[in-house]
Amino acid sequence: MTDRHRGEARFEALLAAEEKVEPPDWMPDGYRKTLIRQIAQHAHSEVIGMQPEANWISRAPTLKRKAILMAKVQDEAGHGLYLYSAAETLGITRDEMMRLLHEGKHKYSSIFNYPTLSWADIGCIGWLVDGAAITNQVMLTRCSYGPYARGMVRICKEESFHQRQGFEIMATLSRGTPAQRQMAQDGLDRWWWPSLMMFGPHDSASTHSRQSMEWKIKRVSNDDLRQQFVDMTVPQAEYLGLAIPDPDLRWNAERGHYDFGEIDWDEFWAVVKGNGPMNRERIAHKRAAWEDGAWVREAAAAYAARRRDAVA
Ligand code: FAQ
């Protein structure tokens, strides 16, 4: 038996036994490539996702809300760092991931290409966007790749808190003045469909799902996760007294799930391909931050080199 055959057999055995594949283990090239693509995309989403929220730090309605929002945005930066570290264990450098993002060769979640126009949008990001993110990420705690799965455990705990803070903002606005209730409804009207798009194309149009599920990277399909999110969120909207902007939404007793309308897939693909309302601004801001921070990276690298020399 060659080394490659032994590696392949061990990889298959790990998957079958529900054990984790770890960085030194042999893995198929496609498995490594898929993980780098998905984890890098996920990390970029966390980092770009800081922008729409940071837009409201200086305008949060109270000092307490400002402190909470700052902590949340910092959490997202932390998630990005765990995820970049997880991707690095697969043999790609952080500089390379940044280059690919800045050149438009790496994607990030479509959701962060929409603007945050009011304070209610911060509530909607927590309630809906973090809600959708957790729905997707709970399954990733069972991903077959160890560093990604372990990173997701901590991220999910923090995302749950984020979801609660967003829901609390929405609850406060919904119980407020007519203008505040209107602001909450307007936020829901604009964030509902983009939140459903976060789960990706229909299973029939998903290029990676079948293979990723065979490799136990993904555990639940895009459409099944989207359905879980709708079933969880509709009663929450009812509790808030807000109307979900979908005339086709209704409970289907036979299926035991909510039926809902069709996503505008032309809009989804336009956003994914770089033509959403905020794509250009998001990448321009990200690149400027990377360039402005060059001196910090250089100073940190020089400090690390001096310490190495001192130890040697
Ligand atoms: N946006 O074959 P599939 C967050 C692409 S974190 C852009 O189904 P896959 C935290 C997909 O990449 C949110 N592109 O792909 C937070 C592929 O293109 P490619 C991010 C999308 O990978 C909250 C093509 O379409 N979460 O929100 C999208 O099997 C608040 C075909 O799709 C993650 O990244 C999309 N929505 O399934 C931060 C979770 N959907 O790569 C701040 C990890 C699909 O071949 C504030 N990722 N595409 O060029 C995943 O679970 C999966 O990658 C999916 C997509 C489910 C997103």
Side-chain angles (χ1 to χ4, degrees), residues 37 41 107 110 130 136 159 198 200 206-208 218 222:
R37 177 186 63 79
Q41 194 169 307
K107 293 188 168 72
S110 50
D130 282 285
N136 168 271
E159 301 288 28
M198 285 176 71
S206 164
T207 29
H208 304 290
K218 282 168 88 165
N222 297 359

Side-chain angles (χ1 to χ4, degrees), residues 44-63:
H44 299 323
S45 305
E46 301 280 356
V47 170
I48 299 269
M50 294 161 72
Q51 291 186 38
E53 293 192 296
N55 182 33
W56 279 86
I57 289 177
S58 60
R59 289 175 286 161
T62 66
L63 186 60

Side-chain angles (χ1 to χ4, degrees), residues 54-84:
N55 182 33
W56 279 86
I57 289 177
S58 60
R59 289 175 286 161
T62 66
L63 186 60
K64 193 170 161 198
R65 293 212 180 271
K66 181 176 174 134
I68 294 170
L69 183 57
M70 280 169 67
K72 179 183 192 293
V73 172
Q74 284 178 354
D75 283 353
E76 309 300 358
H79 298 173
L81 296 183
Y82 310 153
L83 289 162
Y84 285 127

Side-chain angles (χ1 to χ4, degrees), residues 30-45:
Y31 179 83
R32 186 184 297 277
K33 214 170 128 201
T34 297
L35 280 167
I36 289 177
R37 177 186 63 79
Q38 180 171 322
I39 302 173
Q41 194 169 307
H42 193 167
H44 299 323
S45 305

Side-chain angles (χ1 to χ4, degrees), residues 77-109:
H79 298 173
L81 296 183
Y82 310 153
L83 289 162
Y84 285 127
S85 299
E88 281 176 317
T89 65
L90 291 155
I92 186 167
T93 65
R94 204 169 292 209
D95 279 359
E96 178 67 355
M97 287 183 267
M98 287 302 158
R99 187 183 64 76
L100 291 165
L101 173 66
H102 296 158
E103 290 177 1
K105 292 178 185 145
H106 264 183
K107 293 188 168 72
Y108 59 89
S109 182

